[in-house]
Amino acid sequence: MIMDGIGLRAVSLELDAALAGGRVDRISQPERDQLILSIRTHGATRRLLLSASADHCRAHLTEATWKNPEKAPMLCMLLRKLLTGARVRSVAQQGLERILTLTLENTDELGRPAEYTLVTEIMGRHSNIILVSGDGAILESVKHVSPDMSRVRQVLPGLPYAPPPAQDKLNPLTMDRAALTGLLKTHAGGALDRFLTARLSGISQATAKDLIEGGLGTRAPSALSPEQIDAFAAYLAEFFGEAARGNFTPTLILGMDGKPAAFAPYYPSFLPRELLLKQPDMSRLLDVFYLERDLKDRISQKAQALTQALHVRLERSRGRLALHSEMLADPEKGEAYRLYGELLTASLHTLKKGMRVARVPDYYGGDGAMLDIPLDERLSPAANAQRYYRLYAKHKSALDNAREQEGIARAEIEYYETQLFNISQCTDAAEIDEIRRELELAGVLRGPSSKKRRLPPPTQPLAFLSSDGLEIRVGKNGSQNDALTLKWAQPHDIWLHAKDMPGSHVVLRTDGRDVPDRALLEAATLAALHSAGKNATTVPVDYTLKKYVKKPSGAKPGMVIYTHQKTLYIPPDADVVKGVRTV
């Protein structure tokens, strides 16, 4: 869902009231298309989020925090140079267009007054954030638009800034009831929501449908009667009058699953009241609605390249496994070569060079039967026997190699499937980066050309307290699993893992005490819920003391072997761990 002009008006009025007169304290760029400006105002620091994301473009104050890249992007460095210490003069919207301008005053390197405008264009995949100088020239932008990309409008440093081409639409905030009545009379049929979005500025199709249902009681009206036109015009005049006066009611709209499904700067009273949650302001509303979606999408984007590379490797390993398994399925073929060689050797005195088939007694048959053995007529009988011995040795060597390669292929498949599962468990971009580094070290992905790279601090496993107060930790990738099992866990702690499937290492800290059955059940349920079998009806979960868990030499991160285990068959039921607290 993308904010329309009415929604942006509510945001711009809030931002202007909250930020005008404030001073820019810090600037960060956690993502390529996202900026965070920390602005000191009214004795507090407010964080302004500006996003040019294709799916989650927006602008609002935020209470969330993001991890910044190790090295600030060029745009961020320029903004810090020009805007740090700048005072916010105003935050404004251009008409009802989805364009927000942040006007700032600062001084240049020589101490002379300088004015800058930070323009945020909220337009789906065409969204952008553009820094404009006082004379109207583009200094830099999140996205460059070259002539090859657009003949109509370019966005490049040095060019004069020009807003997107204006649409020939009416501003409903300046229209009275009579003007709106006249507009509705020109509706000649067809979808009324499309008519409104085509004629009125700042109105998305979702808002248009809400207005129609709120004013007419239906989302798909037929041709409007004069009475309907008059009543609907009155409804629209009141709605736009409130918007013109800046009176909004930010509302979060829930889906049937109880999760945020949509939002509106007004209260859609025609919807069931239990699905509507009023919010204190637009910033809080947008923070709640977008934050989780934005995080999931960014994690998904980061994970896409890893997932594709793993799937390619996985299919190759599965192909090799099938090839070696096919060879191992017919081990007797080599024995036939050995038999031919022995029978030919025993009958050399009866054979001559140039024979194509040797009919010899089958001494192993037990009934005196004769056996026909194909020969190479160019070779002597003795050379044919040696040829079959070589084929036997070659086949035996191939079988030994197939057994070894089959084991390698199975280990690779297990590793790749585990990594795909680990990626699905990630809730933070840093965890994706950690998996990427692990895959680079394993040779699955090509690493950076520079070996000197400062590594961020390692991500941490999930930490819980059982209903009995015992500590439980759950790893979410190979690095976390190794750190949890090999460094954090003590010899008499209980180690758990879903049996024969990708899953998290789970450690139940015992401190040498007897473990209550309830705590063990909760730890096993967490192991089931954090495994590839989380959607099954029952998951087998192995558990043993940590001292029986070993990591073989050369094993990849997260790969261990264990003994003395017992198995619990656990339904992956989240209700079982309701008493478990996150710490």
Side-chain angles (χ1 to χ4, degrees):
M1 182 175 184
I2 295 176
M3 192 185 324
D4 64 7
I6 291 292
L8 187 58
R9 175 173 174 78
V11 171
S12 66
L13 294 175
E14 284 184 10
L15 294 182
D16 188 57
L19 301 179
R23 189 176 297 275
V24 178
D25 192 25
R26 294 180 58 193
I27 301 172
S28 60
Q29 189 176 357
E31 301 288 348
R32 185 186 63 84
D33 54 9
Q34 186 182 83
L35 293 173
I36 305 292
L37 277 66
S38 296
I39 300 173
R40 187 72 180 173
T41 176
H42 304 303
T45 299
R46 311 295 298 274
R47 287 195 298 272
L48 173 63
L49 181 149
L50 304 175
S51 174
S53 164
D55 297 320
H56 304 130
C57 48
R58 63 199 191 277
H60 58 86
L61 298 175
T62 181
E63 296 180 1
T65 57
W66 284 265
K67 293 182 180 179
N68 295 319
E70 297 177 19
K71 185 178 180 182
M74 291 297 296
L75 172 61
C76 183
M77 295 174 66
L78 178 64
L79 291 172
R80 287 174 179 175
K81 176 182 177 181
L82 299 180
L83 300 186
T84 300
R87 190 167 297 279
V88 179
R89 192 169 72 190
S90 65
V91 181
Q93 179 188 20
Q94 296 184 9
L96 275 182
E97 299 295 335
R98 290 179 293 168
I99 302 174
L100 188 74
T101 59
L102 187 69
T103 305
L104 304 112
E105 298 171 339
N106 206 1
T107 56
D108 61 17
E109 295 174 344
L110 300 177
R112 298 172 299 189
E115 181 179 298
Y116 302 97
T117 303
L118 198 57
V119 182
T120 304
E121 299 175 350
I122 301 174
M123 300 178 177
R125 63 188 181 92
H126 299 296
S127 298
N128 210 340
I129 303 172
I130 306 167
L131 178 64
V132 181
S133 66
D135 59 4
I138 297 174
L139 297 176
E140 191 51 276
S141 61
V142 164
K143 302 174 185 177
H144 288 180
V145 182
S146 65
D148 293 338
M149 300 168 66
S150 174
R151 296 181 181 179
V152 177
R153 178 176 178 255
Q154 290 83 50
V155 179
L156 295 170
L159 295 180
Y161 172 75
Q167 297 177 311
D168 185 20
K169 294 184 179 182
L170 301 171
N171 185 344
L173 303 189
T174 63
M175 300 174 69
D176 58 15
R177 179 174 176 177
L180 290 166
T181 300
L183 174 65
L184 293 175
K185 287 181 178 180
T186 65
H187 176 239
L192 183 56
D193 58 320
R194 294 183 180 179
F195 173 79
L196 293 177
T197 56
R199 300 298 302 275
L200 298 178
S201 176
I203 306 299
S204 66
Q205 196 162 0
T207 298
K209 288 180 178 180
D210 285 351
L211 291 175
I212 294 169
E213 186 159 357
L216 295 173
T218 176
R219 286 207 168 193
S222 55
L224 299 180
S225 65
E227 292 77 16
Q228 286 178 314
I229 290 175
D230 186 61
F232 192 36
Y235 180 85
L236 293 178
E238 181 181 357
F239 176 86
F240 291 126
E242 291 295 308
R245 291 186 290 272
N247 297 328
F248 294 97
T249 307
T251 304
L252 193 64
I253 303 171
L254 305 180
M256 298 308 295
D257 58 357
K259 296 182 179 180
F263 66 85
Y266 47 84
Y267 188 78
S269 56
F270 52 86
L271 292 176
R273 183 176 299 178
E274 60 271 18
L275 299 181
L276 303 178
L277 292 178
K278 293 183 181 180
Q279 299 297 307
D281 51 48
M282 286 296 294
S283 289
R284 175 61 181 165
L285 168 68
L286 298 173
D287 230 10
V288 171
F289 181 80
Y290 278 116
L291 192 58
E292 185 176 350
R293 284 174 168 78
D294 199 8
L295 177 61
K296 285 184 177 179
D297 279 6
R298 293 189 186 280
I299 289 176
S300 177
Q301 291 168 10
K302 283 179 174 287
Q304 186 174 9
L306 306 188
T307 302
Q308 289 176 346
L310 285 170
H311 276 301
V312 170
R313 293 295 188 104
L314 184 60
E315 290 307 311
R316 289 177 183 171
S317 296
R318 285 173 174 166
R320 292 204 309 275
L321 176 63
L323 182 65
H324 298 310
S325 297
E326 182 180 359
M327 176 172 286
L328 292 171
D330 188 19
E332 301 301 324
K333 186 176 181 180
E335 290 298 317
Y337 293 144
R338 183 186 59 79
L339 174 65
Y340 287 175
E342 291 181 357
L343 294 180
L344 288 175
T345 301
S347 302
L348 288 178
H349 62 284
T350 66
L351 304 176
K352 296 180 180 180
K353 184 178 180 180
M355 297 177 66
R356 294 185 177 182
V357 177
R359 178 177 289 271
V360 299
D362 183 1
Y363 301 110
Y364 296 96
D367 55 358
M370 304 297 288
L371 181 67
D372 290 338
I373 301 175
L375 300 178
D376 186 338
E377 61 189 31
R378 296 168 298 178
L379 302 178
S380 67
N384 271 291
Q386 292 301 315
R387 171 173 166 267
Y388 276 116
Y389 282 132
R390 287 195 298 271
L391 287 174
Y392 166 69
K394 184 177 180 181
H395 190 270
K396 184 175 182 299
S397 177
L399 283 177
D400 292 340
N401 181 68
R403 292 188 185 95
E404 179 182 356
Q405 293 300 319
E406 183 188 43
I408 293 173
R410 290 188 186 280
E412 289 176 348
I413 290 170
E414 181 183 1
Y415 178 68
Y416 298 146
E417 289 179 341
T418 297
Q419 291 292 37
L420 287 169
F421 169 76
N422 290 340
I423 290 172
S424 72
Q425 293 288 95
C426 288
T427 57
D428 191 295
E431 294 172 349
I432 292 289
D433 293 337
E434 198 165 55
I435 293 176
R436 172 179 285 278
R437 289 192 295 273
E438 181 182 326
L439 294 175
E440 289 171 355
L441 291 174
V444 178
L445 296 178
R446 182 177 298 177
S449 56
S450 174
K451 294 184 179 180
K452 293 182 179 180
R453 181 172 55 162
R454 188 178 68 180
L455 297 179
T459 59
Q460 298 301 313
L462 299 173
F464 304 95
L465 282 179
S466 73
S467 55
D468 299 299
L470 298 181
E471 191 169 0
I472 305 172
R473 293 200 178 182
V474 179
K476 293 195 292 180
N477 59 44
S479 299
Q480 288 186 14
N481 286 334
D482 273 358
L484 177 62
T485 299
L486 305 177
K487 296 180 181 180
W488 185 80
Q490 300 300 311
H492 288 87
D493 290 343
I494 296 179
W495 182 90
L496 306 96
H497 191 282
K499 182 181 179 66
D500 297 332
M501 68 179 70
S504 298
H505 291 201
V506 178
V507 174
L508 174 61
R509 173 62 57 84
T510 66
D511 293 325
R513 297 175 294 174
D514 291 337
V515 175
D517 291 342
R518 179 67 187 178
L520 180 61
L521 175 62
E522 289 170 344
T525 303
L526 286 173
L529 290 170
H530 291 85
S531 75
K534 61 184 178 182
N535 295 320
T537 54
T538 305
V539 177
V541 175
D542 285 342
Y543 71 98
T544 186
L545 295 181
K546 185 269 170 186
K547 66 180 181 180
Y548 298 127
V549 182
K550 309 295 181 185
K551 188 174 185 66
S553 177
K556 291 182 171 61
M559 298 298 174
V560 296
I561 57 176
Y562 54 92
T563 57
H564 297 77
Q565 72 272 18
K566 296 180 180 178
T567 304
L568 296 173
Y569 292 86
I570 302 295
D573 184 359
D575 289 339
V576 175
V577 292
K578 279 186 175 180
V580 174
R581 294 186 291 112
T582 303
V583 294

